Amino acid sequence: MLSTEETHEIDLEIKKFPYKQSACLEALAIVQHHRGYVSNEALKAVAQYLEMSETELDGIGTFYNLIYRKPVGENVIRICDSVSCWILGYEKIKAKIKNELGIDLGQTTPDNRFTLLPTQCLGTCDHAPALMIGDDLHRDLDENNVVQILKSYQEKRVVKDTIDG
Amino acid sequence: MDKPLTKNIQLERGPLNIDDYIKAGGYLSVQKAVKSMAPSEVTKTVLESGLMGRGGAGVSTGFKMGAVPMGEHASKIKYLIANADEMEPGTFKDRLLLEGDPHQLIEGMLISAYAIGATTAYIFLRGEYKLAQKRLEASVAQAYAENYLGQNILGSNFSLNLYVHMSAGRYICGEETALINALEGKRATPRAKPPFPPISGLWGKPTLVQNVETLCNLPHIINHGVPWYKALGKGVDAGTKIYGVSGKVKRPGAWELPMGTTARELLEVHAGGMKEGLQFKALLPGGASTDFWGSDRLDTPMDFSSTAKIGTRMGTGTMIVLDDKTCPIGMILNLERFFKQESCGWCTPCRDGLSWIAETLTAIENGEGQTQDISILARHARLLGPGSTFCALAPGAASPLQTGLSRFKEEFEQHILTKKCPYQH
Ligand SMILES: Cc1cc2nc3c(=O)[nH]c(=O)nc-3n(C[C@H](O)[C@H](O)[C@H](O)COP(=O)(O)O)c2cc1C
Ligand code: SF4
Ligand code: FES
């Protein structure tokens, strides 16, 4: 079942197109935004709402990097492994993150805070190496500042926890 | 020197809002076009200006605009799409324009939409460009509020709705027919051509897909005219270009410069040369899908005509520099892995060939290569070449491979003979 909020947001996206099925990627992104990832159940609900087959929708969802069909941690780290970042030391940054978090590419930390994924060129090659954490872009990375950046996300969560009680 | 595309861009300050943009001369071209020019006049001006598409292929923009059916028998519904997918590795020029001056893109889209009679426009934005999304959405809202978008723009008969579509990360979506499928909500595989999108595109209607930088040129051409625009270029091709340099250079970055600036000037003057202790080895002039150039090519003007004349391509004009301490085989492997991963799987040479290529290159890099691997790679590169696949991803993947095989022949042989990679990494 989709929530009222989800259907409301999806309806706004449908208005952009002559056919509601065209909003399917937007719909998947909305559901993912609310639930963290697109579960089978969520996929089914979106497919029903847009009157399309689940297999077709899954074929579209799985085509994209930013649609997660499996659970991910609170913070998804997407490290650029494309050419300019590779030249500027992507391997070292990756090793540092792996070491700090104790996870490899494609894995999530046991406390569910971080998932580490590779990504293609982030379009910021003059500031390579680069990565994104959630919607935030971090550039000009080195082995020191990347640790600071990770720390700041760990601290962010602590602040949130105290506010939530 | 005139820098029309970046004159409003100051990254520290953020983009101009609509009031300041108008104060700086913004939206004048729309006033001019809508009030005093017929759509065909706009297209003719763009054609005469010599503007060539900045998405990488360099097709004449006026020619493409002129291919859209016009007149009373033409479809009443037509679409314009700004291609803001920018996922070509090594390319970061459209980001600058999107984040730096979003109203300029909207203005350019208005000009193009007016010329072809489009009533709906989309900005197809890559999923990672969140800052650009925020700024574009705010600018679009301002443009609606001031009636630069919406119904009867500036009291004319011209109306345009404009929407931002966020993609979700897949390189093939930048190919214009795959992009059209993606926007329709389908799996983003390219379509067979012909028909070309200007005849039958989005939902079967005439559709023009144009690169962000291309569109940003249009207001200036309309405002200042053809002779001015042509004079901006240094060589044969007209206008300015957002060039960029990345790799181990002193000052990587992006700059608006006259079209036809040489690779040497970009590397040595604007990027400040190689970092201390490193030598230049080679470069890819415009993204992952272009040919390797060596120092013999540094004096080539970076424009579409000069590069075509010597049988190569400028691509996106944002170059990637390889230094003497980085393994060229490792770099080619990195590029081909990208293409392998991003292949949509439609055509055999691309789907299967790129996997073999990546595997073979991995073996060579790991010291497990065989002498015959070099000719196997060369054969695959030929099979990926123009004409045997639905889209240009495969020929793009062939470019650095084919030219890499000949430019780095010694390094390939050394890896295979000594059974190891001689570079530190
Ligand atoms: C695999 C592939 C990816 C592409 N990605 C982009 C892109 O991200 N942005 C872009 O403007 N053009 C891209 N293109 C080129 C487009 O197909 C198209 O030629 C271009 O958007 C046309 O705009 P222009 O005429 O203004 O250059 C890509 C082409 C291919 C084959
Ligand atoms: S060349 Fe590759 S990416 Fe292009 S259509 Fe064929 S399989 Fe897909
Ligand atoms: S290669 Fe990493 S941002 Fe472009």
Side-chain angles (χ1 to χ4, degrees):
Chain A
M1 277 280 289
L2 298 174
S3 70
T4 342
E5 215 180 338
E6 285 168 338
T7 48
H8 173 71
E9 287 176 27
I10 295 172
D11 288 343
L12 287 179
E13 293 297 331
I14 289 174
K15 290 210 176 92
K16 296 179 178 174
F17 304 102
Y19 306 98
K20 63 181 171 187
Q21 289 81 8
S22 304
C24 65
L25 175 59
E26 275 88 349
L28 291 174
I30 287 167
V31 167
Q32 175 167 296
H33 180 75
H34 288 284
R35 308 177 186 206
Y37 79 108
V38 180
S39 64
N40 290 339
E41 190 250 348
L43 185 94
K44 192 171 169 185
V46 172
Q48 271 172 0
Y49 193 70
L50 298 178
E51 297 178 326
M52 55 199 292
S53 82
E54 279 170 59
T55 26
E56 189 187 0
L57 186 62
D58 203 16
I60 293 157
T62 52
F63 198 76
Y64 293 103
N65 298 323
L66 289 170
I67 298 297
Y68 306 131
R69 287 284 281 112
K70 286 186 198 157
V72 289
E74 275 165 54
N75 297 293
V76 179
I77 306 173
R78 300 172 64 233
I79 176 167
C80 172
D81 66 4
S82 288
V83 60
S84 304
C85 290
W86 178 80
I87 293 174
L88 270 296
Y90 144 82
E91 294 284 355
K92 282 189 190 135
I93 306 296
K94 183 178 73 175
K96 197 80 194 174
I97 298 174
K98 278 165 71 170
N99 188 40
E100 283 293 307
L101 299 180
I103 49 169
D104 211 330
L105 292 176
Q107 296 179 338
T108 301
T109 52
D111 63 2
N112 206 36
R113 283 195 189 170
F114 294 99
T115 297
L116 181 61
L117 296 174
T119 186
Q120 331 80 332
C121 176
L122 291 169
T124 189
C125 328
D126 51 341
H127 292 280
L131 58 74
M132 286 184 84
I133 303 184
D135 287 353
D136 311 332
L137 178 66
H138 299 280
R139 330 189 284 176
D140 299 308
L141 299 174
D142 58 43
E143 286 167 276
N144 297 321
N145 63 17
V146 73
V147 176
Q148 294 309 312
I149 291 166
L150 290 177
K151 281 225 171 74
S152 74
Y153 284 81
Q154 273 155 343
E155 279 155 20
K156 245 187 226 169
R157 158 76 184 270
V158 172
V159 174
K160 197 173 144 222
D161 278 355
T162 43
I163 292 170
D164 292 347
Chain B
M1 191 207 115
D2 272 333
K3 297 189 178 185
L5 302 178
T6 52
K7 69 180 168 54
N8 290 336
I9 300 183
Q10 280 176 35
L11 287 179
E12 322 72 65
R13 129 162 97 48
L16 297 181
N17 65 25
I18 196 162
D19 294 336
D20 293 332
Y21 183 74
I22 289 171
K23 266 184 221 145
Y27 289 112
L28 267 181
S29 71
V30 180
Q31 304 257 9
K32 183 172 173 183
V34 167
K35 294 194 173 149
S36 67
M37 293 171 85
S40 59
E41 262 177 274
V42 174
T43 302
K44 189 162 163 270
T45 308
V46 175
L47 183 67
E48 285 169 359
S49 77
L51 171 62
M52 293 155 109
R54 306 298 197 233
V59 178
S60 155
T61 302
F63 172 80
K64 263 175 78 169
M65 289 165 70
V68 177
M70 297 297 287
E72 51 188 289
H73 299 298
S75 168
K76 292 280 169 289
I77 301 175
K78 297 180 212 171
Y79 295 103
L80 171 71
I81 304 170
N83 190 343
D85 200 43
E86 192 158 74
M87 287 189 65
E88 174 82 14
T91 304
F92 47 96
K93 66 185 184 66
D94 296 339
R95 182 197 277 274
L96 176 71
L97 297 168
L98 292 160
E99 291 179 356
D101 201 6
H103 278 295
Q104 177 173 243
L105 174 63
I106 298 171
E107 184 175 354
M109 291 179 76
L110 279 158
I111 295 297
S112 186
Y114 177 72
I116 65 165
T119 50
T120 304
Y122 295 95
I123 298 173
F124 190 98
L125 185 59
R126 77 170 285 188
E128 287 85 356
Y129 281 10
K130 299 289 178 189
L131 183 62
Q133 176 189 17
K134 215 171 89 191
R135 292 178 172 180
L136 277 168
E137 283 174 350
S139 305
V140 167
Q142 292 166 7
Y144 269 107
E146 301 292 329
N147 192 218
Y148 282 103
L149 287 172
Q151 295 304 306
N152 302 99
I153 292 164
L154 304 175
S156 71
N157 290 330
F158 170 53
S159 302
L160 184 72
N161 282 319
L162 191 155
Y163 305 105
V164 178
H165 166 88
M166 288 306 276
S167 190
R170 194 72 199 257
Y171 173 58
I172 195 61
C173 294
E175 195 279 336
E176 58 184 12
T177 59
L179 184 154
I180 287 169
N181 274 336
L183 205 48
E184 287 188 4
K186 301 195 178 116
R187 206 174 154 96
T189 44
R191 294 179 178 177
K193 289 163 276 202
F196 288 92
I199 306 298
S200 173
L202 197 57
W203 298 296
K205 305 292 182 200
T207 303
L208 199 56
V209 181
Q210 293 179 291
N211 172 258
V212 168
E213 187 185 351
T214 308
L215 287 160
C216 289
N217 276 275
L218 299 179
H220 310 292
I221 293 171
I222 297 304
N223 283 335
H224 303 295
V226 170
W228 171 86
Y229 188 74
K230 281 192 183 282
L232 291 174
K234 259 189 184 169
V236 208
D237 294 351
T240 59
K241 176 81 192 80
I242 314 275
Y243 292 109
V245 179
S246 69
K248 289 190 175 168
V249 295
K250 287 205 182 94
R251 289 190 306 272
W255 313 275
E256 180 179 11
L257 296 166
M259 181 63 102
T261 301
T262 62
R264 184 185 301 283
E265 184 183 329
L266 291 175
L267 177 64
E268 291 174 2
V269 179
H270 303 284
M274 302 303 293
K275 280 188 178 166
E276 280 318 314
L278 296 176
Q279 300 281 320
F280 168 82
K281 180 147 187 156
L283 61 81
L284 297 173
S289 28
T290 50
D291 294 341
F292 275 104
W293 292 6
S295 45
D296 54 313
R297 290 251 164 107
L298 281 179
D299 293 310
T300 307
M302 294 267 287
D303 62 35
F304 296 110
S305 306
S306 312
T307 50
K309 208 180 273 170
I310 55 168
T312 184
R313 295 190 322 115
M314 166 172 79
T316 61
T318 40
M319 65 163 71
I320 308 158
V321 178
L322 170 69
D323 55 271
D324 63 337
K325 300 262 166 69
T326 300
C327 177
I329 318 296
M331 177 168 172
I332 299 171
L333 170 60
N334 179 284
L335 297 166
E336 299 304 324
R337 257 196 203 137
F338 165 83
F339 288 116
K340 172 197 122 175
Q341 189 183 311
E342 295 302 321
S343 165
C344 80
W346 214 239
C347 334
T348 312
C350 181
R351 179 190 58 239
D352 291 2
L354 284 167
S355 291
W356 278 112
I357 290 168
E359 239 172 75
T360 310
L361 286 167
T362 306
I364 297 175
E365 185 65 350
N366 292 342
E368 293 155 2
Q370 312 281 325
T371 329
Q372 68 270 27
D373 284 349
I374 296 179
S375 58
I376 292 173
L377 288 171
R379 192 158 56 101
H380 274 298
R382 274 197 305 280
L383 290 171
L384 289 171
S388 34
T389 54
F390 266 107
C391 92
L393 183 141
S399 291
L401 178 61
Q402 209 150 36
T403 50
L405 281 168
S406 58
R407 285 207 182 263
F408 310 122
K409 192 164 183 289
E410 270 173 39
E411 284 86 347
F412 271 101
E413 287 168 354
Q414 191 187 9
H415 275 71
I416 293 170
L417 285 177
T418 62
K419 298 196 183 306
K420 64 174 196 301
C421 173
Y423 295 82
Q424 268 189 331
H425 56 97

